[in-house]
Amino acid sequence: MTNTTMGLHGIQGLLAGKRGVVLGVANDKSIAWGCAQAAAAAGARMAFNFLGPAQEKRVRGLLADSPDALILPCDVTKDDEVDAFFAAIKSAWDGLDFVIHSVAYCEKDCLRDKFVNTSRAHFAQALDVSAYSLVSVARAAAPLMTAGGSIICMSYYGAEKVVPKYNVMGVAKAALEASARYLAEDLGPQGVRVNSLSAGPIRTLSASAIPGFKTMLESASRYAPLRRNVTQEDIARSALYLLSDLSSGVTGETLHVDSGYSVLGMFNDVTEPGSPS
């Protein structure tokens, strides 16, 4: 796996000898792909899932230079496929050290209408794919983590506050973060840590489906304390922290990687001292 675009320096060896699972790579813009690149640069070996022929083609293309990567089918909404996926990993490796869960889905219509109009079926689907899948994956992965390990999932600020048009995905992300906390308690005694990473808005395939996403980017870059949007590299570096022993005492947490946007109580439109009025 090459890492020519991310400029991740000083991380060599951070995950040396570690083996991990990456769920949810759609293309090279995916948060999961950025995290996988960083983990590879840090010395990890990884297994990837795909859902259907089109995604398989994209994932295999991205991993063309990584002959030791495992690429296996897995629909996270089907327990038998989740079990088969981790059974294959158990056969190939003698242990597992981390899981990157970057899976979410809801029908596009749920992001266009009001939240109150979300159907029962679409609500259940969003929660199943985006939140329960973490539970299912953790249940299958934990027995392989005989030396402890780290599981991380990808959330967003819409889990905590209302973000217009994010709708049922915000509810699903809230359930995801709560699930991570309960999993942290369940799996902590065996040394498995579970944390959420709440990234600021970033251009991905799934983000393109959110109405007004351009406004979300503009708002974050204008008002966030760092006055910029986060990058794939920003998120990947924080993921490395949560995956590695650098965060050995951290579990059940939600780490915000959003240029500080989530700390704001209101937007600052007051002219700064020395600026033209």
Side-chain angles (χ1 to χ4, degrees):
M1 184 182 299
T2 59
N3 188 40
T4 58
T5 62
M6 299 193 66
L8 288 161
H9 303 297
I11 63 171
Q12 290 82 0
L14 192 60
L15 296 179
K18 303 290 187 181
R19 291 152 299 188
V21 163
V22 183
L23 303 171
V25 172
N27 56 33
D28 64 342
K29 303 299 183 184
S30 298
I31 289 175
W33 178 243
C35 295
Q37 283 186 293
R45 293 179 61 193
M46 282 164 287
F48 297 78
N49 81 312
F50 64 83
L51 181 63
Q55 188 181 17
E56 178 182 9
K57 183 178 180 180
R58 291 194 297 270
V59 172
R60 289 192 183 279
L62 290 171
L63 294 167
D65 296 327
S66 305
D68 62 341
L70 300 180
I71 306 170
L72 303 163
C74 182
D75 180 343
V76 296
T77 66
K78 298 177 179 178
D79 287 336
D80 58 339
E81 292 197 20
V82 172
D83 291 342
F85 180 85
F86 283 97
I89 291 171
K90 183 178 180 180
S91 296
W93 297 339
D94 61 358
L96 183 66
D97 300 291
F98 65 83
V99 174
I100 298 171
H101 176 284
S102 186
V103 181
Y105 179 79
C106 76
E107 288 291 335
K108 290 183 180 180
D109 288 346
C110 295
L111 303 177
R112 298 190 180 106
D113 203 352
K114 292 183 178 180
F115 171 67
V116 70
N117 293 326
T118 307
S119 71
R120 186 181 301 273
H122 287 164
F123 187 97
Q125 180 187 44
L127 271 288
D128 184 18
V129 178
S130 310
Y132 184 75
S133 63
L134 177 67
V135 181
S136 176
V137 165
R139 184 169 57 243
L144 279 62
M145 295 179 157
T146 55
S150 175
I151 299 174
I152 64 172
C153 59
M154 301 299 163
S155 190
Y156 173 62
Y157 188 52
E160 305 168 45
K161 304 294 182 183
V162 174
V163 174
K165 299 299 183 182
Y166 200 57
N167 295 354
V168 71
M169 278 309 306
V171 176
K173 292 295 188 181
L176 178 73
E177 291 184 9
S179 297
R181 289 190 289 271
Y182 277 90
L183 288 168
E185 160 62 17
D186 281 354
L187 303 180
Q190 73 176 75
V192 175
R193 299 178 293 108
V194 187
N195 292 286
S196 306
L197 195 158
S198 184
I202 183 171
R203 294 186 186 278
T204 62
L205 186 62
S206 58
S208 66
I210 303 172
F213 181 70
K214 182 180 178 182
T215 301
M216 292 168 65
L217 287 170
E218 292 172 349
S219 177
S221 64
R222 179 177 180 182
Y223 296 112
L226 292 181
R227 301 295 193 270
R228 67 173 178 86
N229 291 119
V230 295
T231 65
Q232 193 182 51
E233 181 180 346
D234 291 326
I235 301 167
R237 286 182 179 275
S238 294
L240 277 184
Y241 162 71
L242 291 176
L243 295 174
S244 74
D245 291 341
L246 291 177
S247 60
S248 59
V250 179
T251 195
E253 293 290 341
T254 298
L255 174 62
H256 293 87
V257 187
D258 59 0
S259 294
Y261 189 86
S262 58
V263 308
L264 299 175
M266 62 177 288
F267 294 149
N268 180 13
D269 277 321
V270 178
T271 301
E272 296 180 1
S275 299
S277 58

